[in-house]
Amino acid sequence: MKVHLGKKIFDSLRKDIFQPFLVDYGLPQKRVFRKGLILCLSLLLSRQIKHKITGQRVGVILPPGLPGFVANFALFFCGRVPVNLNFTLGPEINREILSNSGVKTVLTASAMSKKFHNFPWPENCLWVDEFLKEIAANRWLILKTCLLTWMFPKRTAQKFQIPTKGGNEVAILLFTSGSSGKPKGVPLSHRNLLVNCRQLYDLELFRDYPRVLVNLPLFHSFGMTIGMIFCTLRGLPVVTTPSPLDQRLNIRAISEQRVEILLGTPTFLRGYLKKTEQGELDSIRYIVAGAEKSPASFRKTWEEKINCQYLEGYGLTETSPALSFNLPGKGKRCGSVGRLLQGVECRTIDPESGRKTDREQGGMLCFRGANIFSGYWCDEERTKEVLDEDGWFITGDLGRLDEDGFLWIDGRISRFSKIGGEMVPHGRVEEEILHVLGLCPSDEPILVVCALQDEKKGEKLVVVYSQPIDQLRVRNGLMEKGISNLWIPKHFIGVGKIPLLPTGKTDWAKIRKIIARPD
């Protein structure tokens, strides 16, 4: 696909220009916006960006909603590269990201600058909220632009100089969550993103244009590609809220707008069931979950209480992000992350030798396809570690493909310990401990399992917990279940709260610091 993402977005918004597209619950008053208005606002902002901003890469610090969508669309329309920044990572990391990415200007809103005053704001900021207020007062300009777009779309595209060729040029620059260390810059091309959207386009659950709740941050690939870009290109009606953590607002939006698809990660989805009242989530048909593994009991609870289908997928920032997907009916297998999307190749290798293994037996997962990125931003060393000469991306995840083509994820290689010569999966140990204690996943993680070096057996398991745990009950319970002694943790560390990243993932960097200094 050689076309530019901005041109595809222009064409999508231009189609059915009077159709309601976005309901924004993040504004002072809930508002409904039609495709044509969003297109016009984005075009007019793109003109301002061209006149006021230099530099190819431009930062964006905005939540999902009208300002966030318009800011990113405007950057696409004027041929710039949006860099949606994770404003919660802390000043030191963000200062390094700004420097490495070459971002000199940020598109944001005054409320964001006040809320995140510790962010290392650059000297140049373009206030999108002020721009929208100014434009709203100039109704004639909006009407003229809308009429021009509706009647003469080709002339409008030429007037605003919307790029047509994209291909392998960088479309967006994202940074990984940094759950295992410093965030890595992931440039995704126009081809990467458009191919991934095309791979999702004809999936059954999108065929009747269901209404989708989008609240995942735009600095996360799930929120950016699936929540904003895919929904726009597919023409799905979107309901937005500023944060996945404001469950009461999200539940209200679902109930009032009869939302049918809820995007989320298990961490963000946990609070809904406890805070909802009878009938508020009845419209939900599908939960589309990713970014982390969903516990079996959690999936079952959602499906039983809400009478919906919990569909788990798999992907990474480096893969744009989607690689596999569970589908309704026979296309779903509980516990798996679904079948591979069309055009995605998979193979498995031995984590130690790097030799190819039987895919049903499993090993380190590797993928190849047009949605796979071409390398980390300004980091050849890390790129060589994960991309081989034949274009295979080595994920760092262990898994397998069964005989029916369903993909099963065992976990990150970093979440396994080699104890006494045996590979011990931390995630499986966590599930067994929760089962022994009779606990279900709550709004936040109750415990995590990690490891420390051990002179005798190589490594030893450590449980970090945030709620009181009967350690003797854990050990005896695991033994009664026939769990190998190598799998039974001997060390427990209590904390006030399991540290999480803004994306909802466990902050393993902080966990490692905790277990390194257990006192």
Side-chain angles (χ1 to χ4, degrees), residues 177-180 267 270 291-292 415 430 445 447-449 464 498-512:
S177 61
S179 58
S180 301
T267 297
R270 286 188 180 116
E292 55 182 307
R415 297 222 62 218
E430 289 169 359
L447 59 87
V448 294
V449 171
V464 177
I498 302 296
L500 299 177
L501 294 165
T503 55
K505 294 182 180 180
T506 303
D507 190 334
W508 294 110
K510 288 185 178 179
I511 290 289
R512 285 195 292 270

Side-chain angles (χ1 to χ4, degrees), residues 19 39 50 56 62 82 88 126 129 142 147 164 186 201 222 255 273 333 362 402 426 430 434 445 447 453 487:
Q19 179 180 318
L39 177 55
K50 285 180 182 177
Q56 184 65 10
L62 289 165
T88 64
L126 195 157
D129 54 337
I142 293 176
L147 287 172
T164 57
V186 180
Y201 200 88
F222 197 177
S255 179
L273 297 180
R333 186 156 295 177
D402 67 20
H426 299 175
E430 289 169 359
L434 289 173
L447 59 87
Q453 293 296 314
W487 289 41

Side-chain angles (χ1 to χ4, degrees), residues 84 227 283:
N84 283 263
S283 63

Side-chain angles (χ1 to χ4, degrees), residues 144-200:
K144 184 174 71 172
T145 308
C146 282
L147 287 172
L148 183 66
T149 305
W150 179 42
M151 298 174 67
F152 307 105
K154 290 185 179 179
R155 188 186 301 178
T156 304
Q158 291 171 354
K159 179 180 179 180
F160 285 91
Q161 299 178 323
I162 295 177
T164 57
K165 294 182 180 179
N168 292 322
E169 295 296 319
V170 177
I172 62 173
L173 177 59
L174 295 173
F175 284 83
T176 60
S177 61
S179 58
S180 301
K182 287 186 177 181
K184 300 182 288 287
V186 180
L188 296 174
S189 70
H190 298 271
R191 183 169 181 255
N192 290 151
L193 296 166
L194 290 173
V195 165
N196 204 221
C197 289
R198 179 69 256 181
Q199 289 167 323
L200 297 168

Side-chain angles (χ1 to χ4, degrees), residues 112-341:
M112 298 297 288
S113 64
K114 292 175 183 177
K115 185 175 182 180
F116 299 99
H117 57 274
N118 287 330
F119 185 85
W121 296 97
E123 291 184 10
N124 301 320
C125 289
L126 195 157
W127 308 102
V128 178
D129 54 337
E130 293 181 5
F131 163 80
L132 292 175
K133 288 178 183 177
E134 291 174 7
I135 291 297
N138 194 340
R139 295 187 178 183
W140 167 240
L141 179 60
I142 293 176
L143 178 60
K144 184 174 71 172
T145 308
C146 282
L147 287 172
L148 183 66
T149 305
W150 179 42
M151 298 174 67
F152 307 105
K154 290 185 179 179
R155 188 186 301 178
T156 304
Q158 291 171 354
K159 179 180 179 180
F160 285 91
Q161 299 178 323
I162 295 177
T164 57
K165 294 182 180 179
N168 292 322
E169 295 296 319
V170 177
I172 62 173
L173 177 59
L174 295 173
F175 284 83
T176 60
S177 61
S179 58
S180 301
K182 287 186 177 181
K184 300 182 288 287
V186 180
L188 296 174
S189 70
H190 298 271
R191 183 169 181 255
N192 290 151
L193 296 166
L194 290 173
V195 165
N196 204 221
C197 289
R198 179 69 256 181
Q199 289 167 323
L200 297 168
Y201 200 88
D202 293 324
L203 296 185
E204 180 182 341
L205 66 162
F206 302 123
R207 287 178 186 167
D208 56 353
Y209 296 90
R211 188 160 290 190
V212 182
L213 180 67
V214 176
N215 57 24
L216 296 174
L218 298 178
F219 56 72
H220 191 283
S221 58
F222 197 177
M224 167 60 71
T225 304
I226 311 301
M228 187 183 76
I229 297 174
F230 174 73
C231 285
T232 302
L233 296 180
R234 189 66 174 82
L236 304 180
V238 169
V239 179
T240 62
T241 62
S243 170
L245 297 173
D246 189 347
Q247 274 100 8
R248 278 311 309 167
L249 179 60
N250 290 315
I251 291 169
R252 178 187 147 208
I254 291 169
S255 179
E256 291 180 355
Q257 301 301 319
R258 306 304 294 166
V259 168
E260 297 169 87
I261 292 182
L262 173 58
L263 308 177
T265 69
T267 297
F268 291 148
L269 292 168
R270 286 188 180 116
Y272 286 83
L273 297 180
K274 287 187 176 182
K275 296 179 181 178
T276 187
E277 297 179 7
Q278 185 69 32
E280 287 184 312
L281 300 180
D282 284 354
S283 63
I284 295 291
R285 295 164 56 200
Y286 306 113
I287 302 294
V288 176
E292 55 182 307
K293 187 175 181 180
S294 299
S297 59
F298 185 65
R299 293 193 305 270
K300 185 178 180 181
T301 301
W302 261 101
E303 294 189 332
E304 289 179 349
K305 287 191 174 183
I306 307 303
N307 191 28
C308 64
Q309 292 202 51
Y310 192 104
L311 305 174
E312 194 170 2
Y314 170 70
L316 302 98
T317 305
E318 294 89 339
T319 62
S320 300
L323 288 166
S324 66
F325 211 81
N326 272 297
L327 294 173
K330 294 182 180 179
K332 174 185 175 184
R333 186 156 295 177
C334 290
S336 81
V337 290
R339 291 190 174 103
L340 297 177
L341 297 177

Side-chain angles (χ1 to χ4, degrees), residues 137 323 343 380 422 433 453 519:
L323 288 166
E380 290 186 11
E422 182 178 336
I433 293 173
Q453 293 296 314
D519 54 324

